[in-house]
Amino acid sequence: MKRLILIALFLIFSLPVFSKEIYTIEINGIITEFTYKFIKVNLENASRSDSVFLVKIDTPGGLLESTRKIVQLFLESKIPVVVYVSPQGARATSAGAFIALSSNYLLMSDGTHIGAAHPVNITGEDIKGDMRKKVENDTTAFIRSIAQKRGKNEQIATEMVINSISLTAREAYDKKIVDDIVNTEDQLIEKIKNRFNINETLFLKKYEPSITEKIAFFLSDPNIIVLLLLIAIASIFLEFKMPGTFIFASIGIAAIILFLLAINIIPINYLGLLLILAGIALLIAEIFITSFGLLSIAGISALAAGLYILFSKGGNMGINVSLPIIIVLILFFGGIILLIGKLVIKDFKKRSVTGTEGMIGKVGEVLDWDISSHKGKILVHGEIWSAESNTDFNRGDKVEVLQVNDLMLKVKGLGK
């Protein structure tokens, strides 16, 4: 009997401890077609392993068409999809709100927020008139259908579109937009186990994007796209100013190629691009044309407006150049123009030190002098000049140049 008990205990403690992974990916930045493909591939892999699919998200928005595809993936998924707005300070705004609401289980960290899904027009402002009603109705129906499917507060979801409201994690929880609030990995795992009645031991397994996907995510940053454009313009300008090295040309070509790749990921507003180019052209023109600052003001205004609306385009939601970047660029270009303008004014006021005017005040030495005509030859600054004076001089006398009349110098004596 004792032997049977020992064998039974051995078998019990020898049983394998079953564990199950939570298939985890992270989405940071703008939602694009590459984001959709990245999510799609990993969701399919998670489905094959019958895993829970966890998406940690921090996004200001993205492309509406890509967002619709991701929402469709989540709504049709055969395995549980969990969206976790994390880390603290993260957001799921605009397009990110649609994606978050479409998950089976939505969690947020304290200090995060969700919402602000109101559509805008090409200039970044609210859409007016009948078009506004049409776009709002379509977008509202989209978010309401998601809220209905996932049992979320439809009224609050609708207000995210119509009134562009944003909610903190606690507010979203109170208004039944978010399911739970967690701040640690242990809490996250425990919440998922309880939600989906999982008895196995769970652990997070993060899957990284490929090199190609990492490059695509890098190029889908609006601030990076703007910097690539400015690097390309600056490199081309410097190549024209200092030709022959091909260093700036190489940098410019590489920046242009990357910029073209980037705008195929995120569509841009070509009016904004035109304003940026016009603004830079006006700032360059200020260097060569005296406009008393008018060209600079016009250039900076055009540059700021172009940066502001560069990504304001139909289908783009919450995509823009960050305000600090716009301010830094404006201050940078404004500082350069002020510096160049100061140097130009200083140079304009400065007395010329070359040519005949530069001779005034110079000291020379008498080489020959005709007493009868009061004229002679003097050596000034290594050159022989004709000179005249009311005073007669001897060879070797020192004289100072008072005036320049054609090629004749008016001088006065300084003694030997």
Side-chain angles (χ1 to χ4, degrees):
M1 187 66 180
K2 187 179 292 186
R3 182 176 295 178
L4 289 174
I5 294 174
L6 291 174
I7 293 173
L9 290 174
F10 175 78
L11 290 174
I12 291 172
F13 286 104
S14 298
L15 289 174
V17 177
F18 292 101
S19 62
K20 187 174 185 179
E21 70 178 25
I22 301 176
Y23 200 108
T24 308
I25 63 170
E26 290 187 6
I27 300 298
N28 299 309
I30 302 300
I31 305 299
T32 67
E33 191 67 13
F34 281 94
T35 312
Y36 159 69
K37 292 177 180 177
F38 177 60
I39 291 175
K40 184 175 185 292
V41 168
N42 284 282
L43 179 55
E44 289 173 350
N45 291 337
S47 297
R48 281 192 289 270
S49 61
D50 193 29
S51 174
V52 175
F53 187 57
L54 171 65
V55 180
K56 290 186 176 181
I57 192 169
D58 178 12
T59 177
L63 306 183
L64 181 57
E65 187 59 32
S66 301
T67 300
R68 288 184 182 275
K69 292 180 180 179
I70 294 170
V71 169
Q72 186 176 11
L73 284 177
F74 286 2
L75 294 180
E76 295 182 347
S77 174
K78 298 297 188 294
I79 61 172
V81 176
V82 179
V83 169
Y84 180 33
V85 185
S86 175
Q88 295 187 30
R91 55 186 171 172
T93 54
S94 198
F98 292 88
I99 294 171
L101 289 173
S102 66
S103 63
N104 297 95
Y105 190 34
L106 174 55
L107 304 128
M108 296 178 69
S109 294
D110 279 316
T112 60
H113 64 277
I114 186 173
H118 186 69
V120 296
N121 65 9
I122 194 169
T123 63
E125 304 297 334
D126 288 346
I127 302 172
K128 306 296 182 183
D130 293 337
M131 182 57 68
R132 168 178 177 154
K133 186 176 181 180
K134 180 179 179 180
V135 173
E136 273 192 358
N137 287 343
D138 180 67
T139 312
T140 301
F142 182 35
I143 203 166
R144 285 184 62 193
S145 66
I146 297 171
Q148 288 176 0
K149 175 73 174 179
R150 295 309 190 197
K152 300 296 192 293
N153 188 323
E154 293 181 38
Q155 180 61 36
I156 297 299
T158 301
E159 288 186 23
M160 288 182 180
V161 173
I162 295 177
N163 298 321
S164 197
I165 68 168
S166 288
L167 303 173
T168 65
R170 294 290 170 180
E171 290 171 340
Y173 179 74
D174 292 338
K175 295 182 183 296
K176 301 187 185 303
I177 286 294
V178 61
D179 297 305
D180 268 309
I181 298 174
V182 296
N183 295 307
T184 67
E185 187 175 297
D186 290 338
Q187 289 178 347
L188 175 63
I189 293 172
E190 193 61 31
K191 291 285 187 181
I192 292 174
K193 286 181 66 177
N194 294 336
R195 174 74 176 207
F196 301 109
N197 297 316
I198 299 172
N199 297 318
E200 296 98 329
T201 300
L202 291 181
F203 65 96
L204 301 183
K205 186 172 182 180
K206 181 181 175 183
Y207 290 83
E208 298 287 348
S210 64
I211 296 297
T212 302
E213 290 165 337
K214 286 181 178 179
I215 294 173
F217 294 151
F218 174 77
L219 293 178
S220 63
D221 185 335
N223 299 319
I224 296 298
I225 295 175
V226 167
L227 291 177
L228 286 172
L229 175 61
L230 297 179
I231 289 171
I233 294 171
S235 298
I236 292 171
F237 178 76
L238 291 172
E239 182 63 30
F240 277 109
K241 295 295 289 184
M242 293 176 282
T245 62
F246 298 106
I247 296 175
F248 296 114
S250 301
I251 295 174
I253 291 171
I256 290 173
I257 292 173
L258 291 174
F259 174 75
L260 293 175
L261 289 173
I263 63 175
N264 276 289
I265 298 173
I266 301 180
I268 64 170
N269 178 353
Y270 286 97
L271 174 60
L273 178 60
L274 182 62
L275 285 171
I276 292 173
L277 296 177
I280 293 174
L282 289 170
L283 292 175
I284 293 174
E286 179 69 37
I287 300 173
F288 304 100
I289 302 173
T290 303
S291 69
F292 302 100
L294 294 179
L295 287 176
S296 295
I297 294 173
I300 289 175
S301 299
L303 182 62
L307 290 171
Y308 178 71
I309 70 169
L310 184 60
F311 297 99
S312 297
K313 184 177 176 65
N316 290 0
M317 300 181 64
I319 306 175
N320 51 57
V321 182
S322 66
L323 184 59
I325 291 292
I326 294 178
I327 294 173
V328 168
L329 290 175
I330 295 303
L331 292 176
F332 174 75
F333 282 103
I336 289 178
I337 295 302
L338 287 175
L339 177 61
I340 293 175
K342 184 178 180 180
L343 293 175
V344 169
I345 293 172
K346 183 178 179 181
D347 184 66
F348 180 77
K349 291 181 177 180
K350 186 178 180 180
R351 185 177 65 179
S352 175
V353 295
T354 61
T356 56
E357 293 183 1
M359 296 298 294
I360 298 174
K362 298 291 185 181
V363 175
E365 180 181 342
V366 176
L367 299 178
D368 182 51
W369 197 263
D370 182 5
I371 297 177
S372 60
S373 62
H374 305 294
K375 296 180 180 180
K377 300 291 184 181
I378 65 172
L379 180 67
V380 182
H381 203 56
E383 298 177 336
I384 298 176
W385 289 77
S386 296
E388 62 180 1
S389 176
N390 295 329
T391 307
D392 291 327
F393 303 106
N394 296 315
R395 181 182 176 85
D397 286 348
K398 301 294 183 181
V399 294
E400 180 183 348
V401 179
L402 300 177
Q403 294 179 2
V404 180
N405 298 317
D406 294 330
L407 297 178
M408 180 67 72
L409 305 183
K410 181 75 172 180
V411 298
K412 69 175 183 179
L414 293 176
K416 290 190 180 290

